[in-house]
Amino acid sequence: MIRAIIIIFFVSSQVLAQEQSALYKVEGNGLKQPSYIFGTINFLPQFGFFIPEEVKKAIEDSDVYVTKLSLKPKVQRKFTEAVKIPNNGSVDQYLNETDQKKLQTIIETYGGRNQAYNNFYSHLQPIILVTSTTALTLQNNIVYPEMELEDIAKDSKLKLVSLSNVDDEIEAFKQFPIEDQVEALKYTINNFDDHIKEYKKMVRRYHKEQDLEFVKKVTFKATNESDLFRKVYYDDRTISWIPKIKKLIKSKSAFIALGVPHLVGDKGVVELLRKEGFTVSPVVIDFVPAKSSN
């Protein structure tokens, strides 16, 4: 009996390990060619950054490269303007003097002088500052995976497709309650060392174990676990993309790069496509480059 329990545990552990991947292959349900889904993190340390060969090949074998939002400069600029506090407001209006000084110190420490704080950072909405302060700690050691993936897609002459437009993105972002944003920012600036340690742990878990559930957990923690924001910004939009994805992969082979929270869970792309009858299987990849035999 004990041996049977051990065997069941061992087999279950193997299945879990096999399921944990950042890359998934979509087949079946009448598809003439496979498509791929890849889970990304917005930014990563550049030192040690590596795109697995399996991911590169999946892109090169596809017809279209799909993201949630276009990376064109004019689109990104419009979004950046939209996530500023309305009417030229300042984040200082939501923080006490002590927290203001902590935030300003963090920004100045990692490369943003006082003028940068007053002219730019202080005008960003609180949740954007949670992300910005994290990115600033990487300084020049930062890379944006979606941009790197898009470069490979462009080199392979893939068509670029977006699942949503910038207005949809902005409208979804507006649903994030300011109270939750402020609480998320306060937690970040008052526990900044722990916040950065958790980000680094998330990166390690992503690279070493491809533990997308952990990445999603840390991502939502940074939003003060706002249920409304999760529903509107993640769940509802992911669900709305499924008809578009289905139509796209019926006619073309697609490489779909989305933020990790859009992939996992019962409202993630992986499970939603499975419910539509597709076979969605994890692909074994390694984020560590193979050592040369020379």
Side-chain angles (χ1 to χ4, degrees):
M1 180 67 178
I2 293 176
R3 182 173 179 273
I5 293 173
I6 291 173
I7 291 173
I8 291 171
F9 176 78
F10 177 72
V11 172
S12 298
S13 298
Q14 280 190 316
V15 171
L16 179 61
Q18 291 169 358
E19 177 68 13
Q20 288 189 167
S21 178
L23 179 66
Y24 288 82
K25 189 175 186 178
V26 184
E27 301 173 289
N29 202 18
L31 295 186
K32 295 179 180 179
Q33 62 282 311
S35 286
Y36 299 88
I37 307 168
F38 185 61
T40 63
I41 294 177
N42 285 345
F43 53 84
L44 292 168
Q46 187 171 37
F47 179 74
F49 176 75
F50 174 75
I51 298 176
E53 291 304 317
E54 297 84 359
V55 174
K56 292 180 182 178
K57 187 175 187 306
I59 296 174
E60 291 164 356
D61 289 346
S62 299
D63 301 310
V64 293
Y65 175 72
V66 184
T67 55
K68 71 168 184 175
L69 186 67
S70 170
L71 297 179
K72 291 180 179 178
K74 65 178 182 179
V75 173
Q76 298 300 315
R77 284 195 298 270
K78 184 172 182 178
F79 182 74
T80 299
E81 285 300 314
V83 296
K84 289 183 178 179
I85 297 171
N87 303 316
N88 201 35
S90 170
V91 71
D92 292 346
Q93 68 193 72
Y94 302 110
L95 304 174
N96 60 38
E97 188 174 344
T98 300
D99 287 344
Q100 290 175 31
K101 289 181 179 178
K102 287 180 180 179
L103 175 59
Q104 188 166 341
T105 297
I106 290 169
I107 291 173
E108 289 179 355
T109 299
Y110 295 102
R113 296 180 179 177
N114 183 57
Q115 188 174 6
Y117 178 82
N118 291 331
N119 293 342
F120 180 69
Y121 288 103
S122 66
H123 297 293
L124 296 176
Q125 293 198 33
I127 196 60
I128 299 298
L129 284 167
V130 171
T131 303
S132 298
T133 52
T134 307
L136 276 173
T137 64
L138 296 176
Q139 299 182 304
N140 294 326
N141 180 34
I142 191 169
V143 64
Y144 299 92
E146 280 193 18
M147 292 183 178
E148 300 294 321
L149 296 169
E150 185 174 289
D151 285 343
I152 297 173
K154 287 179 177 178
D155 289 343
S156 300
K157 311 299 182 185
L158 270 65
K159 180 181 179 182
L160 306 183
V161 175
S162 303
L163 293 173
S164 61
N165 59 52
V166 67
D167 292 327
D168 292 336
E169 184 86 3
I170 292 168
E171 190 58 36
F173 183 84
K174 286 180 179 179
Q175 305 305 311
F176 198 156
I178 190 65
E179 297 82 6
D180 288 338
Q181 290 195 49
V182 171
E183 288 305 311
L185 179 60
K186 286 181 178 179
Y187 175 84
T188 298
I189 60 182
N190 284 291
N191 303 274
F192 197 64
D193 289 344
D194 290 338
H195 172 74
I196 296 304
K197 286 178 182 177
E198 192 156 37
Y199 166 75
K200 291 179 179 178
K201 182 179 179 180
M202 178 185 73
V203 171
R204 287 195 301 270
R205 292 277 287 268
Y206 174 72
H207 280 149
K208 293 184 177 181
E209 302 169 35
Q210 294 171 55
D211 187 350
L212 305 193
E213 288 287 357
F214 185 76
V215 174
K216 181 177 181 178
K217 178 182 177 182
V218 173
T219 301
F220 285 147
K221 183 178 179 181
T223 68
N224 196 39
E225 299 184 352
S226 170
D227 290 335
L228 179 60
F229 187 63
R230 181 191 306 220
K231 179 181 182 301
V232 174
Y233 194 80
Y234 288 103
D235 295 347
D236 290 353
R237 291 202 305 157
T238 305
I239 292 170
S240 75
W241 294 338
I242 296 302
K244 299 177 185 178
I245 292 173
K246 283 175 58 181
K247 182 177 180 180
L248 191 60
I249 63 179
K250 285 286 186 180
S251 60
K252 294 179 174 63
S253 177
F255 184 94
I256 305 167
L258 296 173
V260 166
H262 291 292
L263 261 70
V264 293
D266 60 349
K267 293 183 178 64
V269 171
V270 170
E271 282 304 315
L272 290 173
L273 285 178
R274 284 172 177 165
K275 290 176 182 177
E276 292 289 336
F278 297 98
T279 299
V280 187
S281 310
V283 178
V284 177
I285 63 174
D286 193 345
F287 279 106
V288 180
K291 293 183 179 179
S292 172
S293 57
N294 295 332

